[in-house]
Amino acid sequence: MTDPLLDKSSAQRKTFFSQNHALLKQLTHEGQTPTALLICCADSRVMPEALFGLQPGQFFILRTVGNLIPPYHAADAGTVSALEFAVLQLQVPHLIICGHTDCGAIHGLDTPIDVSQKPALSRWLELARPAQRDVDFLGKVSGTERHRAIVEQNVRQQLAHVQSYPYVQAAMRAGKLSLHGWVYYLEIPAVGYLNQETGEFVV
Ligand SMILES: [Zn+2]
């Protein structure tokens, strides 16, 4: 008996394995030394390997709903263990938070969620609430522009969350870790980055 869903991609896998056979063997032997921890959304349209041309072993990837990560005081074992492992064990030199437009998590901030049906999701999305408040406080934008502004502000917010961890602060102080904020604008399509001097995103 076979699994039809797995069978669908057997040709792609065959090509991938033959192209990367030596590299996979080397990575198995030597272990991984990724250059970055990438925290991005679980959305099916966000495909980091394709977008950033990644080879096996290059990025350690944590995918969460809305590319959210709790701050230190609210750390949960599931997501934060990936942060600990990447920063303390793998000692990645770069940490990237990558948001994206048309993000269901960001849209979800405007839609009342039935807490009794989705208790975890409703709690989780609150990690992005400050980003929504910041944008709405200024009240300068609406519609698509507002959504885009919240997506960008949410990346800044999650960058602030990761910086609340003492070991992240220590690695940054030692010059061993630098942070990056990216946004994948699906509708353009393009990927922009946060200019940390101006605080604005550059597409
Ligand atoms: Zn998303």
Side-chain angles (χ1 to χ4, degrees):
M1 195 181 145
T2 59
D3 184 329
L5 193 59
L6 183 64
D7 289 349
K8 267 188 181 177
S9 54
S10 66
Q12 286 89 338
R13 224 163 14 257
K14 207 171 168 188
T15 308
F16 177 79
F17 290 156
S18 71
Q19 284 172 348
N20 291 283
H21 189 250
L23 177 59
L24 290 169
K25 209 169 169 183
Q26 185 195 337
L27 287 169
T28 309
H29 184 65
E30 296 172 3
Q32 57 171 333
T33 49
T35 53
L37 164 64
L38 170 69
I39 300 173
C40 63
C41 187
D43 191 297
S44 62
R45 298 162 296 176
V46 177
M47 299 172 67
E49 284 84 357
L51 278 174
F52 310 125
L54 299 177
Q55 297 301 310
Q58 284 191 313
F59 277 16
F60 191 78
I61 301 176
L62 171 63
R63 302 189 66 145
T64 67
V65 170
N67 43 274
L68 306 177
I69 183 122
Y72 182 63
H73 67 83
D76 71 317
T79 47
V80 172
S81 57
L83 181 68
E84 266 180 27
F85 188 71
V87 175
L88 294 173
Q89 182 82 22
L90 298 172
Q91 301 187 351
V92 291
H94 300 279
L95 189 160
I96 307 148
I97 305 276
C98 183
H100 71 100
T101 53
D102 199 34
C103 182
I106 301 302
H107 285 308
L109 294 171
D110 292 325
T111 322
I113 293 177
D114 186 341
V115 181
S116 64
Q117 278 196 338
K118 301 186 188 106
L121 187 61
S122 64
R123 256 200 329 273
W124 183 252
L125 294 189
E126 289 308 307
L127 294 170
R129 186 71 66 193
Q132 183 202 41
R133 281 201 200 108
D134 289 347
V135 170
D136 287 346
F137 177 74
L138 294 173
K140 283 184 182 168
V141 282
S142 59
T144 314
E145 248 190 296
R146 173 179 173 268
H147 175 76
R148 184 169 161 160
I150 300 172
V151 165
E152 291 174 344
Q153 184 62 9
N154 182 48
V155 170
R156 296 185 191 96
Q157 180 70 47
Q158 304 314 314
L159 283 170
H161 285 175
V162 291
Q163 287 176 82
S164 64
Y165 290 80
Y167 52 85
V168 170
Q169 293 165 8
M172 289 176 74
R173 264 199 312 273
K176 290 179 177 171
L177 178 67
S178 55
L179 304 189
H180 309 257
W182 295 351
V183 168
Y184 175 25
Y185 303 90
L186 275 96
E187 69 285 0
I188 298 181
V191 177
Y193 70 96
L194 177 65
N195 179 326
Q196 306 208 17
E197 278 167 26
T198 64
E200 296 300 322
F201 278 84
V202 183
V203 185

